[in-house]
Amino acid sequence: MNFFDRLVTRSARRIARATSRRHFLARFGVALGGTAALPLLPVARAESTSPARAPQPGEQGDPTTCEYWRHCAIDGFLCGCCGGSANACPPGTEPAPVTWIGTCKNPVDGKDYVISYNDCCGKSACGRCLCNRNEGDRPVYMPAKSNDLNWCHGTSNNIYHCSTAVVLGLALDD
Amino acid sequence: MTWTHGEHRGLILSLGEGMNMKKLLWLIACVTLPAHGAEPLKAETYFTATLPKPTPHWVFVNDMNFLGYVDGKVYLIDAGAGKMLGMMSTGTYQMAIEIAPDVSAVYVPVTFYSRGTHGERTDAVVIYETEGLTPVAEVVIPPKRATGMPMRGYSGMSDDGRFVYVANMTPASSFSVVDVVARKFLGEIESAGCALIFPTGNRSLASLCGDGTVQTFVLDEVGAVTARAKSAPFFDPNVDPVTEKASRRGNTWYFFSFEGYVHPVAFEGGTANPQPKWSLFTDEERNDGWRVGGSQFNAVHEANGRLYVIVHQGETDSHKDPGMNVWVYDLATRAKVDVIDLESHAVSVAVTQDVEPLLVTNTLELPVIHVYDATSGALVNVIEGGPMTPSFPQVP
């Protein structure tokens, strides 16, 4: 199956979409995902005070597959297939400081996490591991929830290369 | 030497002892000359073709060229003849085009970098003359244009063909105004909380907003805002948002919600007047999972008032999935009047605006365009082999 087939053949295993997105947004106002201050998964928090790297011990799955739990609202080339990882841009590319977010359920602990899909920019399309899942995706007039936008904003140029899937923290219910 | 007849009136030669090159050439000349002593082909000149006059079956197909999007393209096809007529090479992030009312020019908002994928960024509205699909001028605009998966609403044109509007996102929302007749950038207008372009007249347009409204703008002759207003809320973006993919008939825009409700919004003098919503699906159809989805999944025939919608059966969040059916509605009665079964799944549809309209469909991942008789639903043409990643067709 080529990548375009995957584009239209949605993942057979849809991870349950969390219902707490709006609560999270209401609490935090805007959805801006920065890579500088990433909250840690609870499991990792107890083990280290340094920033966590994906994948963490408290999760399972292959970050280079579309079915990976963090990818529930992603639309793009998976950076893990392009020389980076779920939370690292490939060499020589620049992470966008602003992005859209999704809320995905980690099947290991059953908790909902806010995932930041920071784009990596500065080189043309990676072309590998295209993944389009639209759980909770909203139109571009709701940009923080839209995966259709080119999110290479705030970078030295807007040339899109691939997308990460960074854990920002637990999605908190009110 | 031995010889045998090949499949297509040729000879398969094998050199044997004693065959020299002179004899071989003589033999080839003998067997390749036309039969019956006919004149040999004459020498030809070569030249660049120009397009014939536009016909109602001209269709422009946007191709973002997904894997190589710094080299975007727009294909011109004759949907009735089933052939490609030519192409525009349009640069990075090909989203949508604006076609002059007389089809003499095509305006394409694009992005360029001085070194291909890096260097200085220049955004521009490039003006192509239609006869040769050739760029003849450009108007530089602020390097802010919004890009992403291609959508019609990333740009728009005033009804008189003078102003082209280009949506911006940094991610702050605004739009640029270009006078394509004077070939001049007029200014940038902020549109906080709202996105995309929906023209509503010669000097007015609207933008969809995250609070369930549209924001309307009225401009003067130099592109400055003279009036700005918000409509009453007509959809709940947190319950059933409308998609960005809409169709216009007269001065009414038809927006479509994820759950398959039509939200008409009439515009008069630049003011929005949302109309009561109506459903594309019966309760039974909705229970059976029928949904709208895709990219530009809807189209309207201006004269006969038919609405064409690509539908599929799917779950929540399948709002970008393709469909194998086009359901046809009469906008006057809101009744479903026809079902067209597609030969191949589609995410986008356009309908030519003549009295014998054609439906043109595509899907992003297949380099093929399908053409149907919009009245009978019969498959008319299949154009294969490019555009490689067609996003959506546009008709003049």
Side-chain angles (χ1 to χ4, degrees):
Chain A
M1 180 181 289
N2 67 29
F3 76 97
F4 275 127
D5 291 328
R6 289 198 295 274
L7 178 67
V8 293
T9 307
R10 305 297 181 214
S11 166
R13 184 170 65 88
R14 291 200 170 208
I15 300 171
R17 179 163 59 95
T19 57
S20 55
R21 176 195 312 275
R22 285 191 293 278
H23 297 147
F24 176 87
L25 290 176
R27 177 166 296 191
F28 290 100
V30 295
L32 298 178
T35 56
L38 301 179
L40 309 181
L41 276 168
V43 171
R45 194 191 307 274
E47 295 175 352
S48 171
T49 56
S50 62
R53 293 188 175 192
Q56 301 187 46
E59 59 178 324
Q60 293 178 345
D62 181 354
T64 65
T65 64
C66 199
E67 292 75 18
Y68 182 49
W69 71 277
R70 299 187 188 193
H71 294 156
C72 74
I74 203 169
D75 186 3
F77 303 109
L78 304 180
C79 288
C81 300
C82 305
S85 73
N87 74 330
C89 284
T93 60
E94 183 182 4
V98 292
T99 186
W100 86 101
I101 62 166
T103 304
C104 305
K105 185 179 292 295
N106 178 4
V108 171
D109 63 12
K111 297 184 188 312
D112 298 328
Y113 290 88
V114 177
I115 307 297
S116 172
Y117 298 107
N118 299 69
D119 285 345
C120 301
C121 313
K123 299 184 181 182
S124 56
C126 162
R128 307 191 73 221
C129 301
L130 181 66
C131 176
N132 178 208
R133 290 169 62 184
N134 297 306
E135 295 166 34
D137 166 71
R138 290 293 177 263
V140 300
Y141 57 79
M142 305 166 77
K145 302 177 184 178
S146 175
N147 67 15
D148 272 341
L149 287 166
N150 172 17
W151 275 100
C152 284
H153 295 304
T155 46
S156 39
N157 76 30
N158 78 336
I159 298 294
Y160 167 78
H161 185 64
C162 66
S163 299
T164 59
V166 180
V167 171
L168 282 190
L170 284 169
L172 303 176
D173 287 319
D174 287 334
Chain B
M1 189 190 109
T2 59
W3 61 270
T4 57
H5 278 288
E7 234 181 349
H8 301 290
R9 197 175 171 267
L11 289 179
I12 301 172
L13 300 171
S14 63
L15 288 171
E17 295 264 342
M19 172 61 71
N20 61 33
M21 187 55 68
K22 189 174 177 181
K23 289 179 179 175
L24 174 62
L25 292 174
W26 178 85
L27 180 59
I28 291 174
C30 287
V31 299
T32 55
L33 281 174
H36 312 301
E39 288 293 314
L41 298 179
K42 294 177 180 174
E44 298 173 343
T45 60
Y46 53 92
F47 62 100
T48 300
T50 54
L51 288 168
K53 291 200 178 301
T55 77
H57 287 166
W58 272 23
V59 178
F60 293 87
V61 183
N62 293 286
D63 183 0
M64 185 188 187
N65 192 14
F66 196 70
L67 284 178
Y69 61 80
V70 296
D71 182 22
K73 307 169 185 187
V74 178
Y75 286 73
L76 174 61
I77 63 171
D78 184 322
K83 69 175 189 178
M84 173 180 169
L85 298 177
M87 191 189 84
M88 292 184 287
S89 190
T90 55
T92 301
Y93 291 129
Q94 169 59 37
M95 298 285 109
I97 63 172
E98 305 305 325
I99 306 167
D102 63 0
V103 203
S104 63
V106 178
Y107 311 107
V108 189
V110 292
T111 295
F112 300 108
Y113 281 91
S114 59
R115 295 294 180 270
T117 57
H118 60 281
E120 184 181 356
R121 174 179 173 177
T122 303
D123 286 8
V125 173
V126 180
I127 300 171
Y128 291 75
E129 54 83 17
T130 306
E131 187 177 48
L133 302 175
T134 306
V136 293
E138 67 179 25
V139 178
V140 174
I141 57 176
K144 297 179 172 182
R145 60 184 285 258
T147 56
M149 290 306 293
M151 295 179 195
R152 179 67 190 90
Y154 275 119
S155 61
M157 186 171 62
S158 64
D159 290 356
D160 63 358
R162 182 174 155 198
F163 286 0
V164 164
Y165 314 108
V166 181
N168 297 323
M169 187 167 287
T170 63
S173 295
S174 65
F175 60 91
S176 296
V177 183
V178 172
D179 184 333
V180 290
V181 175
R183 298 181 176 178
K184 182 182 178 185
F185 169 66
L186 297 181
E188 179 184 354
I189 297 169
E190 68 84 16
S191 58
C194 309
L196 302 178
I197 307 292
F198 301 93
T200 62
N202 285 341
R203 299 291 174 269
S204 60
L205 67 151
S207 194
L208 264 175
C209 309
D211 59 0
T213 68
V214 289
Q215 185 172 189
T216 56
F217 307 85
V218 179
L219 310 182
D220 63 15
E221 292 301 308
V222 293
V225 175
T226 59
R228 176 199 294 260
K230 276 289 200 71
S231 75
F234 61 93
F235 67 96
D236 186 338
N238 294 315
V239 175
D240 186 23
V242 297
T243 76
E244 312 92 327
K245 297 93 176 182
S247 284
R248 179 185 177 187
R249 183 180 187 224
N251 234 2
T252 297
W253 276 97
Y254 295 88
F255 298 99
F256 301 86
S257 77
F258 282 29
E259 298 296 330
Y261 291 92
V262 183
H263 293 266
V265 180
F267 293 88
E268 186 170 351
T271 301
N273 183 17
Q275 306 291 303
K277 70 177 183 180
W278 55 278
S279 180
L280 292 170
F281 306 121
T282 64
D283 291 343
E284 185 178 1
E285 289 165 346
R286 188 166 278 109
N287 289 336
D288 288 341
W290 286 101
R291 293 176 177 277
V292 298
S295 182
Q296 182 60 47
F297 60 82
N298 56 83
V300 165
H301 191 283
E302 177 77 25
N304 70 20
R306 291 287 192 270
L307 164 68
Y308 303 86
V309 186
I310 298 172
V311 296
H312 69 277
Q313 286 178 289
E315 301 172 358
T316 300
D317 297 324
S318 66
H319 52 283
K320 296 177 191 170
D321 284 8
M324 284 294 294
N325 302 97
V326 169
W327 286 10
V328 187
Y329 296 82
D330 183 341
L331 284 173
T333 63
R334 302 174 178 176
K336 186 172 74 175
V337 295
D338 202 0
V339 171
I340 297 175
D341 296 324
L342 301 178
E343 188 76 12
S344 177
H345 63 274
V347 295
S348 293
V349 62
V351 60
T352 65
Q353 297 295 309
D354 55 319
V355 295
E356 296 178 338
L358 300 173
L359 280 187
V360 179
T361 68
N362 71 270
T363 189
L364 178 66
E365 81 283 8
L366 295 176
V368 58
I369 305 297
H370 286 82
V371 182
Y372 303 85
D373 183 318
T375 307
S376 70
L379 181 67
V380 174
N381 281 311
V382 180
I383 305 170
E384 294 182 285
M388 297 307 290
T389 55
S391 48
F392 60 91
Q394 287 183 242
V395 298

